Amino acid sequence: MNSRNVPNTTSSSQRDKSGRLYRTGLDRFGIVAMLLLLASSAALFVQLMASDMLSDLWAILAMLVLIIINGAHIFVQLPLRYNKLGKLICGVLAILVSVVMIYGLVATGSVSSMIAKISGKLIEKEVTAIIVMEDDSAQTISDTGDYVFGYLENSDKDLNEGMLTDISNQLGHQVKTQGYDSPTVLTDALYDDEVDAIILNEGYIPILESNEEYADFSNQTRIIYEYAIEREIDNPTMADIDLSKPFAVYCSGIDARNSDINAKSLSDVNILAVINPKTHQILLINTPRDYYLPLNFNGAYDKLTHAGVYGINESMAVLGNLYGVDISYYVRVNFNGLVQIVDALDGIDVMSDYDFDTNSMEIPNEDGTGFYHDSFHFNEGMNHLDGRSALAFSRERYSFNAGDIQRGKNQMAVIKAIVNKATSASIIKNLNKVLDAVSGAFITNMSSNDISALIKLQQKNMSGWNITSYSVYGSGGMDYTYSGGNAYVMYPDYELVNKAQSMIQSVYNGEIPQVPED
């Protein structure tokens, strides 16, 4: 056949002098894009496997998708072809997909970093002070050579021993001490000159000042020395979460308006979350902060909120004793943290039972270094809340006849809204913001393995969680509290507590908890 009659389907620049095809700039561009795609795919898959956040099914699907994508690009880019348009299109697509994978690589690393930061052990910070009366002549430790120091016998033993050793070393001799069994009795001993100075964990000061008898404690006394320590609180759980069984989590919102979530503090929010992974049931039980209950470490009666001063494990034990359930896990967030998390989610939608205005209250400013006062209005029905309005919604109690009871219900509504938003697909666009917010505002004793297991569980069942909430309450009155003397307390209504226990048992039995009519 005469070669002059064969149409020329490729430009002369694509053939060498012998007439064979050779690689052009578009070929080389395609190969570079293909190699970039291969590298980013391999790095992403290795990162996903290392993070241990993919279930077996999703890991297989991810591997198959990556193989198909890369196989298609290899098929297009490696052979020499007359038509270069396909190589150009695939090369551009490879670069775009690589960018997405690099973002996924960074996001996966951020998730792993966040999990490592918030999980495992809790560092609790405590500051113990040497306190004298305002008119005392002592200005420093060196002025207390012959003083008798009062201290609490039944709590903060390690901290007291550290402080006493520190004082003795500074003074050059063993100091004289006198033990007392409660903060109020200890304070009375200082007021009545039974001791010259007292050693007191500064966490007790707001408790004392909430009592009318000691409202001017800070004005009548003076701190001449502070001793600060940080210590790790051992994780009470040795084994990872068994997701084949229900478990309970203590959700604590601490009364610490600064950004330090590690400080020992009163616990204003005390919600027990009972979770059944198999049935996707979550039961939230709110317990008022003023509930009058025995402390676990000494059996003395106190407000539930005061248990937080003795550590988060004490709060867990007090609630566990009340409901007859083993609470092995906790999550903890402070006021600043709630604002950051809700804002990172681009707000949440919360149902309000009432139309109400809040009293003016302290709200964290944008950089978290201070506060300003503001008030907010909420409509009955659905409200879209940003971080600050969500905080106000959660804290307000004076606008309701039910007071702290309604506040607890509002807090559970906020938690439910956060869970719903955080488990929706919309979280992807704000993932980095959410991770940053959670890292600085949220801590838990769940291990990284526990959190990874929960993420995998959500992948296996992409449906939402069925969240039920219930609040217990009681009758108010004045009574003696171990930490703060005579104070307003709420005596538990044990009929309601028993109903809560029945609901908890329903979740453990794999049943849908039925909210009783009170």
Side-chain angles (χ1 to χ4, degrees):
M1 182 179 294
N2 192 333
S3 62
R4 288 177 296 179
N5 297 326
V6 178
N8 186 9
T9 58
T10 178
S11 66
S12 60
S13 62
Q14 293 176 314
R15 293 179 180 273
D16 59 18
K17 293 181 179 180
S18 64
R20 292 176 300 182
L21 286 173
Y22 68 92
R23 297 196 182 278
T24 66
L26 279 178
D27 287 295
R28 289 188 286 273
F29 166 75
I31 290 176
V32 170
M34 178 194 72
L35 293 175
L36 176 62
L37 180 63
L38 280 170
S40 58
S41 298
L44 176 60
F45 188 73
V46 169
Q47 178 77 290
L48 287 172
M49 293 300 98
S51 69
D52 195 30
M53 287 185 293
L54 287 183
S55 66
D56 292 342
L57 175 61
W58 281 96
I60 292 172
L61 288 175
M63 182 174 63
L64 289 175
V65 169
L66 291 175
I67 289 174
I68 291 171
I69 291 175
N70 283 275
H73 279 79
I74 292 172
F75 175 78
V76 171
Q77 300 294 357
L78 281 186
L80 289 170
R81 300 179 186 277
Y82 294 129
N83 191 342
K84 306 299 182 182
L85 180 60
K87 292 196 172 194
L88 175 61
I89 294 173
C90 280
V92 172
L93 288 176
I95 291 175
L96 294 176
V97 174
S98 297
V99 170
V100 173
M101 289 185 178
I102 292 171
Y103 173 80
L105 182 68
V106 173
T108 304
S110 298
V111 171
S112 298
S113 176
M114 179 273 293
I115 290 174
K117 185 173 182 179
I118 70 171
S119 63
K121 294 182 178 179
L122 166 67
I123 303 296
E124 283 192 331
K125 297 180 181 179
E126 296 180 281
V127 180
T128 298
I130 294 180
I131 302 174
V132 298
M133 296 302 294
E134 173 61 32
D135 59 359
D136 193 283
S137 60
Q139 299 297 316
T140 66
I141 282 290
S142 60
D143 300 326
T144 63
D146 59 350
Y147 277 28
V148 177
F149 294 85
Y151 69 98
L152 288 175
E153 291 181 308
N154 298 324
S155 64
D156 300 323
K157 291 182 180 180
D158 293 339
L159 198 58
N160 287 333
E161 289 176 3
M163 171 69 95
L164 290 171
T165 300
D166 189 45
I167 297 171
S168 298
N169 290 338
Q170 292 195 51
L171 295 177
H173 62 81
Q174 192 72 26
V175 298
K176 300 175 185 177
T177 61
Q178 178 64 49
Y180 295 89
D181 64 1
S182 75
T184 54
V185 175
L186 176 65
T187 302
D188 289 339
L190 178 64
Y191 284 0
D192 297 337
D193 295 325
E194 291 181 20
V195 294
D196 302 294
I198 60 173
I199 298 172
L200 186 67
N201 186 326
E202 291 187 8
Y204 290 114
I205 294 178
I207 298 176
L208 286 169
E209 294 182 332
S210 66
N211 186 319
E212 186 175 346
E213 294 182 43
Y214 307 98
D216 59 350
F217 177 82
S218 293
N219 294 327
Q220 289 200 43
T221 61
R222 182 162 42 85
I223 295 174
I224 63 170
Y225 185 70
E226 290 180 322
Y227 178 80
I229 65 168
E230 294 183 1
R231 57 186 174 191
E232 288 186 347
I233 303 302
D234 291 335
N235 190 333
T237 58
M238 299 303 294
D240 291 337
I241 290 178
D242 183 354
L243 293 181
S244 67
K245 300 177 181 178
F247 59 94
V249 180
Y250 170 52
C251 305
S252 171
I254 63 171
D255 184 22
R257 290 173 174 81
N258 58 46
S259 59
D260 186 2
I261 196 172
N262 292 308
K264 269 190 175 181
S265 179
L266 304 180
S267 184
D268 261 9
V269 178
N270 301 278
I271 294 174
L272 179 64
V274 184
I275 302 168
N276 190 321
K278 281 190 172 181
T279 60
H280 258 220
Q281 294 285 334
I282 298 178
L283 171 64
L284 302 177
I285 301 290
N286 176 65
T287 308
R289 67 190 298 276
D290 293 326
Y291 240 36
Y292 195 50
L293 300 169
L295 295 171
N296 183 68
F297 76 93
N298 65 358
Y301 274 77
D302 210 332
K303 292 185 178 187
L304 174 59
T305 183
H306 292 175
V309 176
Y310 306 102
I312 197 163
N313 287 341
E314 178 68 17
S315 297
M316 293 166 66
V318 171
L319 271 184
N321 293 338
L322 175 66
Y323 294 114
V325 63
D326 178 35
I327 306 174
S328 299
Y329 306 98
Y330 64 78
V331 296
R332 191 185 202 189
V333 66
N334 63 11
F335 287 152
N336 274 346
L338 177 66
V339 173
Q340 294 164 10
I341 291 171
V342 173
D343 282 343
L345 289 169
D346 277 347
I348 54 176
D349 296 318
V350 176
M351 183 69 70
S352 175
D353 295 332
Y354 301 100
D355 187 286
F356 68 96
D357 293 291
T358 69
N359 288 290
S360 181
M361 62 179 67
E362 283 186 343
I363 301 294
N365 58 24
E366 289 188 5
D367 60 9
T369 59
F371 300 87
Y372 65 95
H373 283 81
D374 204 351
S375 58
F376 298 81
H377 174 78
F378 301 98
N379 298 313
E380 181 179 354
M382 191 63 71
N383 295 260
H384 184 76
L385 309 182
D386 64 7
R388 285 162 181 77
S389 56
L391 174 61
F393 185 83
S394 301
R395 290 178 61 191
E396 179 60 32
R397 59 173 170 165
Y398 298 108
S399 297
F400 312 113
N401 292 332
D404 199 47
I405 305 302
Q406 185 59 42
R407 175 168 69 169
K409 292 180 179 179
N410 289 350
Q411 289 165 352
M412 289 189 293
V414 168
I415 291 175
K416 182 176 181 179
I418 290 174
V419 171
N420 288 337
K421 190 70 173 286
T423 55
S424 68
S426 64
I427 193 175
I428 298 298
K429 65 178 182 179
N430 294 319
L431 182 60
N432 286 336
K433 287 171 58 180
V434 174
L435 294 177
D436 288 342
V438 170
S439 295
F442 180 95
I443 53 175
T444 178
N445 67 337
M446 293 182 184
S447 68
S448 57
N449 289 338
D450 293 333
I451 297 175
S452 295
L454 288 171
I455 293 173
K456 290 178 182 178
L457 175 69
Q458 185 64 24
Q459 295 166 12
K460 292 179 181 178
N461 186 348
M462 295 302 289
S463 62
W465 291 79
N466 181 23
I467 303 176
T468 305
S469 58
Y470 185 66
S471 293
V472 299
Y473 52 89
S475 56
M478 298 295 294
D479 214 319
Y480 179 81
T481 63
Y482 172 76
S483 303
N486 290 325
Y488 172 82
V489 300
M490 180 177 288
Y491 302 107
D493 183 331
Y494 282 99
E495 182 178 347
L496 300 182
V497 172
N498 291 337
K499 291 178 180 178
Q501 290 175 344
S502 297
M503 296 177 70
I504 291 171
Q505 194 58 50
S506 293
V507 176
Y508 271 80
N509 292 339
E511 304 165 356
I512 299 175
Q514 301 298 316
V515 179
E517 295 183 4
D518 298 332

